DNA sequence: TTACTCTCTGGAGTTAACTCCAAGTCAAGC
DNA sequence: GCTTGACTTGGAGTTAACTCCAGAGAGTAA
């Protein structure tokens, strides 16, 4: 599979694919006799995996570590597992933060609704829309 | 409140606080006669709000827009609400992606457990740990 | 008065993660 | 044999979001 197809298939620019390979974010792809990259199915699975992980913000450095460990073989199984567990933990934690923000945004949107909808509400100063604290709750 | 206290309180560097103000990510803070920033409670609420939103990755540009709209007064209430709704939507979508990755990581970790735990499992090639596809499911 | 600490501003520097570019190679078509 | 188009490499440029720095001013302490 040529880089053009892989690029199309995973919606990553050719430059990005070459960059990922250069920095070790995906294992080295074999070349044809004339030096052209020829992606195997396995290469594609790596591309997909990396795209997926990068898509939710796992750091490039960490993923490079994972790929390197992978290439070192069986002796790194434990380390790789720990790496994944750590990333899982961090992802959970980020999602918890996002959940909070989600709810906070919902609260704000609701207050905007009230203000825009009802014409009898006084809209002065900072607080009514900015923070629910004026209503006496703790957010 | 001096910048040192605000910096301490919200765990943002003084440079970051000045930077945020410079680019309009928080409204301009009043100065004392001698030109020193004197943060009000309201300033602090902005700092906290922005820190919280930045913490989950809302883009600086978008938040600058929100602050600017806020300062333009009531006529922007509708626009502000729409901005928040859009961010809420995007946050939800990002969380859905993360949920998928979370599950994918769990699957991988489980497979690592199996491989490391059981000594009778053959560990050759790429697939067993990399992707569940070899087990016949669709991930 | 001198020293010290905190703060100010404008601007330069850094980091992560791409993204673009120039110069060159190769295979295919005319 | 020459052109065309996809590909190669190494390296420079870009973007977002800070982070650092130099030079200067104000307030306090000895």
């Amino acid at each position: 599979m040529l880089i053009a197809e892989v690029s199309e298939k995973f919606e990553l620019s050719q430059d990005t694919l070459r960059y990922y390979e250069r920095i070790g974010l995906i294992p080295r792809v074999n070349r044809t006799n004339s030096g052209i990259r020829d992606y195997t199915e396995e290469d594609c699975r790596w591309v997909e995996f990396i795209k997926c992980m990068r898509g939710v913000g796992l750091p490039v450095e960490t993923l490079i570590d994972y790929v390197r460990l992978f290439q070192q073989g069986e002796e790194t199984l434990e380390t790789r597992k720990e790496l994944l567990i750590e990333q899982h933990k961090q992802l959970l934690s980020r999602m918890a933060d996002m959940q909070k923000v989600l709810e906070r945004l919902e609260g704000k949107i609701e207050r905007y609704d009230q203000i825009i909808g009802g014409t009898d509400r006084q809209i002065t100063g900072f607080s009514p829309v900015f923070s629910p604290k004026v209503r006496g709750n703790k957010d």
Side-chain angles (χ1 to χ4, degrees), chain A residues 86-121:
Chain A
E86 174 62 25
Q87 292 310 308
H88 182 273
K89 202 183 91 188
Q90 292 190 18
L91 208 50
L92 260 184
S93 150
R94 285 205 288 134
M95 284 179 74
D97 291 346
M98 289 165 86
Q99 182 60 42
K100 288 230 181 72
V101 169
L102 215 52
E103 285 161 19
R104 189 163 176 177
L105 287 178
E106 279 157 19
K108 281 172 105 55
I109 290 163
E110 215 168 286
R111 284 198 300 289
Y112 272 107
D113 267 338
Q114 284 170 11
I115 290 165
I116 294 168
T119 56
D120 53 344
R121 177 175 293 276

Side-chain angles (χ1 to χ4, degrees), chain A residues 2-134:
Chain A
L2 295 179
I3 198 168
E5 305 171 67
V6 179
S7 166
E8 176 108 345
K9 181 166 180 180
F10 297 106
E11 294 175 292
L12 289 170
S13 76
Q14 300 187 15
D15 271 316
T16 298
L17 286 168
R18 282 188 282 256
Y19 166 71
Y20 279 179
E21 185 180 339
R22 192 162 16 167
I23 64 173
L25 193 43
I26 56 172
R28 180 174 168 81
V29 174
N30 273 336
R31 315 295 150 111
T32 65
N33 290 340
S34 50
I36 305 286
R37 282 177 183 78
D38 184 22
Y39 290 79
T40 63
E41 283 302 312
E42 182 171 320
D43 292 328
C44 286
R45 281 200 296 278
W46 272 112
V47 170
E48 188 278 329
F49 174 66
I50 291 299
K51 182 190 168 156
C52 178
M53 296 300 133
R54 284 293 304 128
V56 298
L58 298 227
V60 165
E61 260 310 311
T62 307
L63 293 169
I64 289 174
D65 286 348
Y66 184 75
V67 173
R68 189 171 45 242
L69 288 168
F70 196 95
Q71 290 174 319
Q72 281 167 17
E74 283 184 41
E75 77 219 62
T76 67
L77 283 167
E78 186 66 37
T79 315
R80 278 184 261 161
K81 190 185 105 182
E82 277 157 20
L83 184 152
L84 295 184
I85 287 172
E86 174 62 25
Q87 292 310 308
H88 182 273
K89 202 183 91 188
Q90 292 190 18
L91 208 50
L92 260 184
S93 150
R94 285 205 288 134
M95 284 179 74
D97 291 346
M98 289 165 86
Q99 182 60 42
K100 288 230 181 72
V101 169
L102 215 52
E103 285 161 19
R104 189 163 176 177
L105 287 178
E106 279 157 19
K108 281 172 105 55
I109 290 163
E110 215 168 286
R111 284 198 300 289
Y112 272 107
D113 267 338
Q114 284 170 11
I115 290 165
I116 294 168
T119 56
D120 53 344
R121 177 175 293 276
Q122 199 190 355
I123 306 154
T124 46
F126 182 77
S127 294
V129 169
F130 186 77
S131 160
K133 284 186 185 127
V134 288

